[in-house]
């Protein structure tokens, strides 16, 4: 029986229990917020690393070179390493701040230690398996001068030659069929830059430090990793603090160079499924939006009945729902920013004056005449009466105000 025909299988008790728990999801108290203390202009690069001495030896020199002309610091969160990372850093790179934790922590807990120590106005979360291209940090800084209330700028991600490009930096929330995981990365179009995205990758993104702290930093409910970057990006959008994709900030990702050493593929799949359910419960404030996404997630897990990770996630779903949802006041309607960041929008910098927002049948690079005429061309493959167009209008208006 194919996956697409499994809807004929009667829903299990776990499924109905999770549906009921989602319907009665309680509201929980807001997370305690970290103080947004004043920060001097510059970049604090936070790198979580567990037994990553070899990776750091490979990638730190490029990071240091790219930061030379900027006020900056590097904070390595040495996360339960036993390979001599801390001693090596102090000997070879004494300018690097080393935060040592004797036992391994989750990604969120490790980077939060670095965020708490950050001295500068912007925090870059960078995985130890990322190789940055020249101009990476300056490119990430640039949109903060152009987009009002920008929360996050995120890099274009490449993979080594011969490796399938699983991430691109253009992160969207959409499904092409019912069994697809609802998050994906779209291939950027030629000339695309500054497109609004739902969130920035936690492995190569730059954040406004004060805003990051105002949101309570990275939610530590996500163990041991995955989906925490979606959560923080979503909660920022709720406050009308957007994230954008930056084409010129480029990295090469040696994917899962750390996580694959400690977890099997099946374990990582279960972590991803469970953490996505946690995200829906903890971050989505609009009741109607939550109800639709929660049912979609449960239906998807039910269709994947032959995957043990999906079944275990479905079994945990009711308990996750009972942990409670947010008490956020939403400044940007969730329906609108979700529609805007589902892959239907693309922005292109031009050489002219002013900004234009256009509805199109499908996304493709605008004409050279349009780019010569306008400073930015934003295209939306949606009708003018759609949530996506309303979201694009709200984003463009807020950006240029």
């Amino acid at each position: 029986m194919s996956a697409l025909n499994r809807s004929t299988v009667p829903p299990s008790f776990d499924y109905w229990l999770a549906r009921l728990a989602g319907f009665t999801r309680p509201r929980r108290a807001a997370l305690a917020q970290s103080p947004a203390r004043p920060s001097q202009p510059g970049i604090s690069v936070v790198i979580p690393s567990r037994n990553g001495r070899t990776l750091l030896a490979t990638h730190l020199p490029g990071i240091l070179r790219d930061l030379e002309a900027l006020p900056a610091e590097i904070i390595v969160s040495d996360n339960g390493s036993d390979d001599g990372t801390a001693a090596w850093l102090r000997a070879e790179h004494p300018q690097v701040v080393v935060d040592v934790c004797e036992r391994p922590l989750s990604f969120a807990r490790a980077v939060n230690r670095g965020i708490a120590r950050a001295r500068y106005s912007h925090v870059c979360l960078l995985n130890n398996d990322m190789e940055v291209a020249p101009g990476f940090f300056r490119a990430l800084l640039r949109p903060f001068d152009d987009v009002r209330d920008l929360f996050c700028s995120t890099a274009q991600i490449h993979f080594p030659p011969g490796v399938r490009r699983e991430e691109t930096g253009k992160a969207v929330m959409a499904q092409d069929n019912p069994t697809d995981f609802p998050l994906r990365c779209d291939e950027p179009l030629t000339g695309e830059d500054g497109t609004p995205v739902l969130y920035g990758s936690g492995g190569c993104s730059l954040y406004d430090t004060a805003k990051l702290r105002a949101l309570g930093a990275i939610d530590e409910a996500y163990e041991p990793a995955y989906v925490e970057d979606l959560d923080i990006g979503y909660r920022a959008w709720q406050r009308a603090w957007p994230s954008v994709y930056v084409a010129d900030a480029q990295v090469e990702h040696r994917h899962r160079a750390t996580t694959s050493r400690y977890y099997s593929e099946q374990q990582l799949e279960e972590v991803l499924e469970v953490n996505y359910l946690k995200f829906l419960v903890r971050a989505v404030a609009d009741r109607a939006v939550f109800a639709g996404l929660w049912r979609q997630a449960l239906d998807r897990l039910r269709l994947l009945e032959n995957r043990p990770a999906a079944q275990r996630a479905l079994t945990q779903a009711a308990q996750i729902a009972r942990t409670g949802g947010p008490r956020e006041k939403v400044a940007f309607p969730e329906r609108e920013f979700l529609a805007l960041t589902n892959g239907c929008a693309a922005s292109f910098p031009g050489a002219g004056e002013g900004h234009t927002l256009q509805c199109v049948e499908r996304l493709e690079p605008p004409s050279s005449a349009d780019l010569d005429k306008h400073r930015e061309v934003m295209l939306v493959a949606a009708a003018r009466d759609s949530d996506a167009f309303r979201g694009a209008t709200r984003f463009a208006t807020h950006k240029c105000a």
Side-chain angles (χ1 to χ4, degrees), residues 27-40:
R27 295 285 175 172
R28 58 184 169 84
L31 291 172
Q33 296 184 354
S34 302
R37 59 180 193 265
S39 301
Q40 56 185 307

Side-chain angles (χ1 to χ4, degrees), residues 305-318:
E305 62 178 1
N306 63 329
R307 307 244 304 251
Q311 283 304 298
R312 284 194 290 271
L314 186 59
T315 300
Q316 297 176 58

Side-chain angles (χ1 to χ4, degrees), residues 1 42 56 68 159 279 340 350 401:
M1 181 164 49
L56 291 171
E68 280 178 353
F159 279 68
F279 154 72
L340 172 64

